[in-house]
């Protein structure tokens, strides 16, 4: 039976860079999930009988939230829900499922790389029919609806068994429970040369893949150990846990510390890799060498033709503005277009749909291609494996050769987490106001050649997005970028992105911290970070 339940707006249900993301207790509050999910259904107005894909990263509250979403879908005229078994499906796998099954959209339950558990984070994200995150006009419509909501509709009945593969019904709606891995694994097989990767592993190539007790465990075990013949035990932390084993499922040098230490040790395998909570990010570390995501994008772009799915070459490369310029030089050398977009994967969707870009990447460990409309952690690992299998060189060797050919961009991101939101906004405001004066000023050996507040004109739909980060470009190829995070759940997070281009191979082995030291000091003094935020140093450097 369908029930209509009166309700009223709950403040703050505005989806951010990647959906609505809050602490678990907020989601557990009365009508919180129901209001937001109803706002989605009201705003996107799916045709009666539409198909919806639903999956989550398995974090705390995933299972309860799946039940609510199913019951509300049944009460809102959805014809079929395709649900990952146990409520689990990685973000790129949801994207693929929406596309391959021609679903109208999908609901992803995840807070990505944020910690989980009863006091951790949770999130709900809506993806549209191309498989990608809802564009801003859709998320705005959802938010507006949430501010005017008066009732939600829900199927009144017992919880559904979500653990058995097969079809069941909820009222008039079919619930199709699927193995979340199978279709995704099949897609990977169409893109990469699995025989060559199998031969690579058979030749003794060693790898450690850390699934961080998050969603990619089952995918990595099936593909790497199952199909490609990687040694058993290659995948560690391969069981998705509601609290990610108490860890932060963010594959960076801070939270994947043990993997990093292994890669730097004498026992290092040929490749260390990891993915995040919902499986869209990636970390790549060769023996003794961490590959920055910005470099990884450039390297993958330069070598993608070695994989069957990209043998025809790339239509173009897209990177988010704060991502380093390393990929730009690959694009220039190959004579293809480079698109610079605001932070957030949703800005790549139009470029991919229009066939303007083939590979996309962000400095925040996100890389992907036109195979889905999300970034894809395991895909990036498989593309690396395909390249290694063809070139038969080590990761570090390939990276150094790349730097020698294209020059090296030293890169770091400084995060000032959980700072006071007003102070952060005041700091950005003050710096924005000074941008015109900064142009032409000299700091040490370099001069500010350009200073602006990044704005983006989407070449496909003409939409315009402004205030996407403050950029200072210095002579000699250095750059500073300041922006506030759109995904945090407590206070504000200031991100400062630093880069310096170094063409001279004799200097490519210098230490990043040392190379960027002067720029880092300048980043703090220029924006008066301490005065506005009370912080002398960033809380995380990646
Ligand atoms: C962060 C990353 C951004 C990424 C987003 C979602 O957003 O910086 O590149 O697209 O997470 O994974 P931010 O917190 O910086 O707004
Ligand atoms: Zn993620």
């Amino acid at each position: 039976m369908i029930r209509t339940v009166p309700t009223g707006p709950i403040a703050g249900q505005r989806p951010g860079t990647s959906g609505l993301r809050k602490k678990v207790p907020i989601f557990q509050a009365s009508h919180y999930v129901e209001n937001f999910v109803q706002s989605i259904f009201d705003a996107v107005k799916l045709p009666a009988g539409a198909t919806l894909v639903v999956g989550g990263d398995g974090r705390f509250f995933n299972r309860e939230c799946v039940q609510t979403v199913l019951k509300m879908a049944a009460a809102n005229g959805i014809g079929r829900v395709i649900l990952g078994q146990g409520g689990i499906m990685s973000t790129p796998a949801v994207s693929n499922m929406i596309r391959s099954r021609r679903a109208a959209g999908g609901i992803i339950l995840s807070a990505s790389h944020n910690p989980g558990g009863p006091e951790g984070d949770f999130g709900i994200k809506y993806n549209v029919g191309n498989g990608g995150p809802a564009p801003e006009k859709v998320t705005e419509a959802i938010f507006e609806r949430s501010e005017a909501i008066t009732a939600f509709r829900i199927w009144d009945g017992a919880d559904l068994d979500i653990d058995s593969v097969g079809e069941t019904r909820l009222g008039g709606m079919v619930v199709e429970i699927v193995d979340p891995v199978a279709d995704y694994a099949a897609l990977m097989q169409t893109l990469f040369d699995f025989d060559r990767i199998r031969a690579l592993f058979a030749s003794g190539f060693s790898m450690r893949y850390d699934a961080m007790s998050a969603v990619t465990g089952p995918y990595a075990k099936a593909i790497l150990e199952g199909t490609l013949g990687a040694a058993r035990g290659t995948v560690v932390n391969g069981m998705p846990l509601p609290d990610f084993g108490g860890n932060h499922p963010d594959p960076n040098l801070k939270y994947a510390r043990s993997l990093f230490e292994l890669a730097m040790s004498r026992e290092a395998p040929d490749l260390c890799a990891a993915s995040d909570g919902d499986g869209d990010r990636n970390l790549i570390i060769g023996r003794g060498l961490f590959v920055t995501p910005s470099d990884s994008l450039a390297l993958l772009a330069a070598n993608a033709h070695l994989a069957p799915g990209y043998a025809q070459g790339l239509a173009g490369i897209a990177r988010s503005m704060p991502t380093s310029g390393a990929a730009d030089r690959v694009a220039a050398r190959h004579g293809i277009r480079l698109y610079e977009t605001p932070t957030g994967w949703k800005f790549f969707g139009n470029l991919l749909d229009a066939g303007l870009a083939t590979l996309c990447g962000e400095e925040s460990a996100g890389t992907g291609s036109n195979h889905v409309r999300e970034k894809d952690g395991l895909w990036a690992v498989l593309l690396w494996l395909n390249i290694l299998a063809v070139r038969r060189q080590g990761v570090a060797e390939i990276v150094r050769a790349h730097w020698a050919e294209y020059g090296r961009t030293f890169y770091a991101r400084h995060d000032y987490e959980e700072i006071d939101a007003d102070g952060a906004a005041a700091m950005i405001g003050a710096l924005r106001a000074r941008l015109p004066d900064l142009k032409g000023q000299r700091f040490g050996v370099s001069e500010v050649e350009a200073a602006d507040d990044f704005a983006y004109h989407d070449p496909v739909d003409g939409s315009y997005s402004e205030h996407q980060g403050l950029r200072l470009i210095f002579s000699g190829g250095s750059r500073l970028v300041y922006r506030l995070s759109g995904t945090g759940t407590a206070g504000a997070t200031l991100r400062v992105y630093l880069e310096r281009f170094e063409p001279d191979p004799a200097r490519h082995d210098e230490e990043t911290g040392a190379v960027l030291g002067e720029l880092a000091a300048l980043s703090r003094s220029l924006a008066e970070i301490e005065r506005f935020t009370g912080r002398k140093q960033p809380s995380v450097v990646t």
Side-chain angles (χ1 to χ4, degrees):
M1 197 189 69
I2 294 170
R3 255 194 327 139
T4 301
V5 183
T7 189
I10 298 173
Q13 293 201 321
R14 182 192 284 279
T17 320
S18 356
L20 183 67
R21 207 175 276 182
K22 304 280 176 197
K23 295 276 174 211
V24 165
I26 294 180
F27 274 98
Q28 287 169 321
S30 173
H31 294 186
Y32 195 86
V33 168
E34 289 84 348
N35 278 15
F36 188 67
V37 172
Q38 188 63 51
S39 301
I40 295 175
F41 287 130
D42 288 350
V44 302
K45 297 188 187 74
L46 298 179
T51 297
L52 198 66
V53 178
V54 177
D57 64 8
R59 68 178 58 226
F60 187 85
F61 198 56
N62 191 99
R63 294 180 67 89
E64 293 84 338
C65 195
V66 162
Q67 296 290 347
T68 308
V69 169
L70 289 177
K71 290 174 187 174
M72 292 188 65
N76 276 278
I78 299 298
R80 174 182 291 262
V81 163
I82 302 170
L83 174 74
Q85 188 180 17
I88 287 189
M89 202 182 292
S90 78
T91 291
V94 170
S95 184
N96 175 49
M97 192 67 79
I98 294 172
R99 296 165 64 76
S100 66
R101 297 290 304 272
R102 299 187 192 287
I107 291 181
I108 301 177
L109 309 177
S110 168
S112 189
H113 50 286
N114 292 8
E119 302 303 322
D121 292 342
F122 194 77
I124 303 181
K125 183 168 93 156
Y126 184 71
N127 279 28
V128 293
N130 76 347
E136 229 148 76
K137 61 177 190 300
V138 176
T139 56
E140 269 312 299
I142 295 170
F143 174 61
E144 273 168 29
R145 186 62 206 151
S146 79
E147 293 207 301
I149 192 163
T150 56
F152 62 83
R153 284 185 297 287
I154 189 157
W155 178 257
D156 199 4
D159 281 1
L160 212 72
D161 167 15
I162 57 170
D163 295 307
S164 320
V165 168
E167 283 192 8
T168 50
R169 292 189 88 88
L170 202 57
M173 183 179 87
V174 177
V175 181
E176 179 184 343
I177 298 173
V178 299
D179 168 2
V181 176
D183 286 33
Y184 176 84
L187 173 67
M188 293 301 114
Q189 198 141 10
T190 67
L191 299 173
F192 303 117
D193 191 337
F194 272 25
D195 288 338
R196 275 186 112 146
I197 303 177
R198 224 177 268 122
L200 178 73
F201 280 118
S203 74
F205 180 90
S206 59
M207 175 176 182
R208 162 96 39 115
Y209 179 89
D210 191 340
M212 305 191 89
S213 306
V215 80
T216 57
Y219 294 83
K221 270 195 212 155
I223 298 172
L224 298 175
E225 295 184 16
T227 309
L228 295 172
R232 283 187 62 174
T234 295
V235 178
V236 297
N237 300 315
M239 175 82 108
L241 300 175
D243 67 346
F244 308 117
N247 297 320
H248 208 121
D250 191 353
N252 64 26
L253 300 187
K254 180 173 179 182
Y255 299 116
R257 193 75 211 166
S258 58
L259 188 72
F260 179 71
E261 279 163 7
L262 173 70
M264 298 301 140
S265 74
R266 272 205 246 150
E267 290 78 47
D270 294 300
L271 176 65
C272 285
S275 189
D276 72 328
D278 63 330
D280 56 0
R281 296 187 174 201
N282 73 86
L283 172 68
I284 301 289
I285 320 176
R287 207 177 255 146
L289 186 94
F290 159 64
V291 187
T292 69
S294 294
D295 272 352
S296 187
L297 173 65
L299 272 141
L300 293 179
N303 292 282
H305 60 277
L306 301 176
Y310 308 94
Q312 310 305 320
L314 308 178
I317 307 171
R319 65 161 173 86
S320 67
M321 181 275 281
T323 304
S324 93
D328 304 27
R329 294 192 297 280
V330 175
R333 181 80 52 96
H334 291 236
I336 54 178
R337 268 293 297 272
L338 184 287
Y339 298 87
E340 190 175 25
T341 60
T343 294
W345 205 260
K346 61 186 173 200
F347 291 100
F348 296 135
N350 281 343
L351 299 173
L352 294 169
D353 284 350
L356 296 175
T358 309
L359 287 201
C360 309
E362 294 194 280
E363 52 66 40
S364 54
T367 330
S369 85
N370 57 355
H371 69 292
V372 288
R373 292 296 180 271
E374 290 275 5
K375 54 195 176 229
D376 188 345
L378 204 47
W379 166 90
V381 174
L382 290 167
L383 181 50
W384 262 101
L385 282 170
N386 195 139
I387 292 165
L388 294 166
V390 174
R391 289 185 55 164
R392 291 291 176 127
Q393 293 167 301
V395 173
E397 210 179 331
I398 291 177
V399 172
R400 291 213 167 80
H402 184 93
W403 289 339
E405 192 177 347
Y406 294 92
R408 175 172 183 187
T409 303
F410 287 90
Y411 189 86
R413 187 178 91 186
H414 291 185
D415 291 336
Y416 298 78
E417 296 170 315
E418 298 192 18
I419 56 175
D420 174 60
D422 293 336
M427 193 217 90
I428 292 286
L431 187 59
R432 181 181 290 127
R434 283 171 52 215
L435 289 176
D437 302 335
L438 287 170
K439 192 166 174 234
Q441 277 196 38
R442 185 162 272 286
F443 296 94
V445 293
S446 50
E447 182 184 316
V448 180
E449 281 181 344
D452 68 358
D453 186 356
F454 182 67
Y456 178 66
H457 255 294
D458 187 304
V460 181
D461 67 13
S463 61
Y464 184 64
S465 309
E466 51 185 355
H467 303 315
Q468 298 295 328
L470 308 182
R471 286 195 294 192
L472 294 164
I473 296 164
F474 298 87
S475 55
S478 293
R479 187 179 72 154
L480 280 178
V481 172
Y482 299 82
R483 62 177 281 280
L484 298 179
S485 158
T487 59
T489 52
T493 292
L494 167 67
R495 303 201 196 281
V496 184
Y497 309 82
L498 308 92
E499 74 181 74
R500 199 178 126 181
F501 178 61
E502 178 53 70
D504 181 3
R507 305 193 63 179
H508 286 170
D509 281 323
E510 288 180 16
E511 207 260 312
T512 300
V515 172
L516 296 178
E518 210 177 296
L519 200 59
L522 180 63
S523 77
R524 291 189 282 269
S525 60
L526 200 67
E528 299 183 275
I529 292 178
E530 189 181 350
R531 181 161 84 81
F532 283 103
T533 70
R535 299 285 175 84
K536 280 190 178 17
Q537 297 290 335
S539 40
V540 186
V541 174
T542 49

